Amino acid sequence: MMLKKQKWPVLRAAFTVLIVLPCIASTAQVLTPDIPGNRNLILTEEQYRQGHYAQAAQSAREYLNTTGKNENADDRDKAKYYLSMSCLKTDAPGGKDSAIAEMNATPNPAYSQRIGFALAQYYFQHNELAKAIPLYESAGTDNLNDNEIADAKFE
């Protein structure tokens, strides 16, 4: 006696897979590094952390030029922060003035304090102690890392 193979369970499983898998994949979230617009911002952060300040400034400018003004305001503030910090570290022309403007304009108090600390270091390195002392005092230690706190105490 020969048994017939049933095609329907196999076809039903294949049909279910073809219908369900695209639906699952279409509802998944895209990771932040995979969003093309965020690559320059992530690159800016990495370059700044590694001490490549000129490249970080270039990547921050590119991010600011490619994103719209109404897109993620927090990311734009972060890019402006890294741009002003990089310009201070490289002693770029107008870097001090742009850092002062960004320190006063940013709504993020952490960025404002960190830019103030970087300005204080800039003034200290250029022997403008009268300008450095108030900035060291206003920067506080809440948003500084351990190395920056140690530098502040010895400068």
Side-chain angles (χ1 to χ4, degrees), residues 134-151:
L135 287 170
Y136 274 126
E137 291 171 352
S138 68
T141 57
D142 296 337
N143 296 304
L144 303 178
N145 63 28
D146 293 337
N147 294 336
E148 292 169 335
I149 292 171
D151 287 344

Side-chain angles (χ1 to χ4, degrees), residues 37-95:
N38 288 347
R39 289 192 180 133
N40 284 329
L41 184 59
I42 294 168
L43 182 62
T44 299
E45 292 179 56
E46 287 299 317
Q47 289 170 335
Y48 184 83
R49 281 192 201 114
Q50 294 174 4
H52 304 295
Y53 302 121
Q55 288 88 358
Q58 182 180 1
S59 296
R61 279 189 200 96
E62 191 172 327
Y63 175 80
L64 291 171
N65 290 335
T66 58
T67 58
K69 294 188 187 237
N70 294 330
E71 290 186 33
N72 194 344
D74 292 335
D75 287 345
R76 287 187 62 79
D77 287 341
K78 184 186 283 189
K80 289 177 185 177
Y81 161 75
Y82 280 116
L83 177 60
S84 62
M85 292 290 283
S86 297
C87 288
L88 270 179
K89 297 284 186 177
T90 58
D91 204 10

